[in-house]
């Protein structure tokens, strides 16, 4: 009888041993997984709290937490600027304003578009009391927030633009514009398209300290290359958030009529300019060449081109102005024009009678007798033959 073979037959299997290193890696992996499992099932150290998951912020314009303390306002109202307010990542170069403030431990910033085509204010927060109109020369009014929160202004510019200089004018509800000194601060990133400006804190040498802002309407004037073009941006600083009160109204000074001629004699020699006021100090100088310059040329002359053909005469506390040219060039009329911050004709009255009558020159005085407000002016002499001569002078704040 033939032996029947089983349906299934055992086949010997030979197992290959793993290298020692591989065994150790697997053992370590199993140990780590087991440890993590124990920690999840039985957290050590008390009652477990909520799980916190860190997610990257989808908004790159939000600044990272500052390494400085949250309290950055000194007793004198000055504040300490921290570049970390603007975050770690550089922004795309374009025309934008980034108003920045300390809020608790974070710096909150813009951006707000410049020249967006809007004729009214560009709001940066919830609707509030309707603001004032844009200042003269500015096409829009950008709401940069409340005075108690605003610290610095970040200016983002296109890559092809270069900022040569910046000026800030405040436009009170009553009275002439007032120029505010700016401090340019270190940018948050190593780029030349982002600039940071704060108000200069008087007598403070710390390059990171800036003064606080007052509520009101401002105008940021920028001298921009290429083309030495002047861009003017209207800014609205609102009342402090805690107050939410209507803006304080300044009582206007009473209007004055034409003042009587002061009891004095003005010495005006040939080929001479004089500036002064009744009972005050006087500036007399040899007559410089006649000037006819644009505002950007005057601006450049103040910094980069001193003593050039467009340099302005610097003075202060001026209400009386006089000029005398050559004897064969009598002056028929003397006028004063304001060039900056707002172009306008200045009302003056003739005070040539204050001279000794032998010079042939002319003297004028402001109609109300008050000194000229801060700004840049042109003294214009129209000669008897109809030709014109002119000289620029810059008036500093009283006592400046």
């Amino acid at each position: 009888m033939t032996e029947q073979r089983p349906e299934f037959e055992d086949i010997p299997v030979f197992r290959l041993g793993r290298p020692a290193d591989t065994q150790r890696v697997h053992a370590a992996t199993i140990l780590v997984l087991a440890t993590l499992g124990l920690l999840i099932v039985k957290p050590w150290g008390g009652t477990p709290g909520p799980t916190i998951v860190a997610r990257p912020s989808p908004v790159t314009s939000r600044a990272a937490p500052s390494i400085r303390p949250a309290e950055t306002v000194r007793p004198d109202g000055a504040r300490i600027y921290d570049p970390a307010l603007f975050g770690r990542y550089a922004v795309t170069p374009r025309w934008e304003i980034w108003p920045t403030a300390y809020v608790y431990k974070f710096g909150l910033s813009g951006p707000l578009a410049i020249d967006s085509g809007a004729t009214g204010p560009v709001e940066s927060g919830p609707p509030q009391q309707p603001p004032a109109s844009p200042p003269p020369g500015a096409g829009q009014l950008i709401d940069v927030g409340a005075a108690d929160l605003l610290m610095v202004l970040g200016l983002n510019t296109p890559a092809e633009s270069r900022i040569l200089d910046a000026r800030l004018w405040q436009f009170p509800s009553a009275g002439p514009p007032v120029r505010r000194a700016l401090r340019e601060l270190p940018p948050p990133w190593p780029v030349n398209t982002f600039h940071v400006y704060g108000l200069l804190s008087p007598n403070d040498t710390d390059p990171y300290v800036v003064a606080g802002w007052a509520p009101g309407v401002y105008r940021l004037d920028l001298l921009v290359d290429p083309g030495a073009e002047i861009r003017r941006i209207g800014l609205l600083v609102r009342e402090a958030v805690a107050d939410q009160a209507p803006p304080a109204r300044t009582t206007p000074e009473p209007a004055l009529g034409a003042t009587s001629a002061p009891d004095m004699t003005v010495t005006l020699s040939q080929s001479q300019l004089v500036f002064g006021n009744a009972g005050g100090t006087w500036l007399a100088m040899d007559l410089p060449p006649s000037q006819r310059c644009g505002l950007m040329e005057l601006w450049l002359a103040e910094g980069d081109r001193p003593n050039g053909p467009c340099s302005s005469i610097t003075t202060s506390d001026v209400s009386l102005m006089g000029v005398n040219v050559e004897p064969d060039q009598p002056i028929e009329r003397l006028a004063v024009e304001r060039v900056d911050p707002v172009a306008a004709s200045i009302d003056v009255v003739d005070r040539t009678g204050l001279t000794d009558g032998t010079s042939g020159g002319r003297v004028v005085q402001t109609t109300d007798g008050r000194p000229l407000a801060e700004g840049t002016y042109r003294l214009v002499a129209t000669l008897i033959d109809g030709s014109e001569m002119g000289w620029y002078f810059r008036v500093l704040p009283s006592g400046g």
Side-chain angles (χ1 to χ4, degrees), residues 63-67 81-88 102 107 188:
S66 171
I67 59 174
Y81 162 68
D82 183 354
L85 283 168
F86 292 100
R88 295 183 299 169
Y102 265 109

Side-chain angles (χ1 to χ4, degrees), residues 115-360:
D115 289 343
S116 62
T119 56
V122 178
E123 299 288 342
S124 65
Q128 300 188 34
Q129 180 179 349
S133 301
Q140 64 180 150
L141 185 66
I142 299 178
D143 182 351
V144 293
D148 59 334
L149 300 181
L150 182 63
M151 175 181 287
V152 295
L153 294 173
L155 175 69
N156 190 23
T157 65
E160 65 274 10
S161 298
R162 186 165 67 99
I163 303 299
L164 303 178
D165 199 6
R167 294 178 178 177
L168 184 71
W169 291 91
Q170 184 178 6
F171 288 77
S173 57
V178 179
R179 184 171 170 181
R180 300 301 184 193
L182 285 175
R183 165 169 278 168
E184 185 164 6
L185 299 150
W189 318 289
V191 297
N192 57 7
T193 56
F194 198 90
H195 307 264
V196 181
Y197 300 103
L199 293 180
L200 182 67
S201 180
N203 305 319
D204 206 317
T205 58
D206 187 334
Y208 287 85
V209 171
V210 293
W213 292 74
V217 174
Y218 295 79
R219 195 184 73 197
L220 180 64
D221 293 356
L222 304 171
L223 185 59
V224 185
D225 243 2
E229 146 187 44
I230 294 179
R231 297 177 67 98
R232 291 178 166 132
I233 306 165
L235 306 173
L236 172 67
V237 179
R238 293 187 178 274
E239 290 285 333
V241 172
D243 298 341
Q244 292 297 320
R249 298 187 177 274
T250 304
T251 303
E253 297 182 40
L256 298 179
T259 58
S260 58
D263 184 15
M264 60 180 299
T265 300
V266 178
T267 302
L268 186 60
S269 304
Q270 289 183 359
S271 300
Q272 192 177 54
L273 280 175
V274 294
F275 300 91
N277 60 77
T281 58
W282 284 79
L283 171 66
M285 61 186 306
D286 293 337
L287 190 68
S290 180
Q291 299 169 297
R292 190 70 178 180
C293 305
L295 181 55
M296 60 281 295
E297 296 171 299
L298 296 170
W299 194 335
L300 287 171
E302 287 186 29
D304 298 337
R305 304 170 187 175
N307 304 318
C310 289
S311 293
S312 301
I313 301 163
T314 302
T315 183
S316 64
D317 298 314
V318 174
S319 59
L320 284 157
M321 297 135 284
V323 60
N324 186 17
V325 293
E326 298 298 329
D328 58 345
Q329 295 178 304
I331 298 174
E332 181 178 25
R333 185 171 65 90
L334 195 60
V336 180
E337 300 171 350
R338 186 173 61 215
V339 178
D340 193 44
V342 182
S345 296
I346 303 300
D347 292 333
V348 294
V349 292
D350 190 277
R351 297 294 188 215
T352 304
L354 297 177
T355 66
D356 56 13
T358 61
S359 65

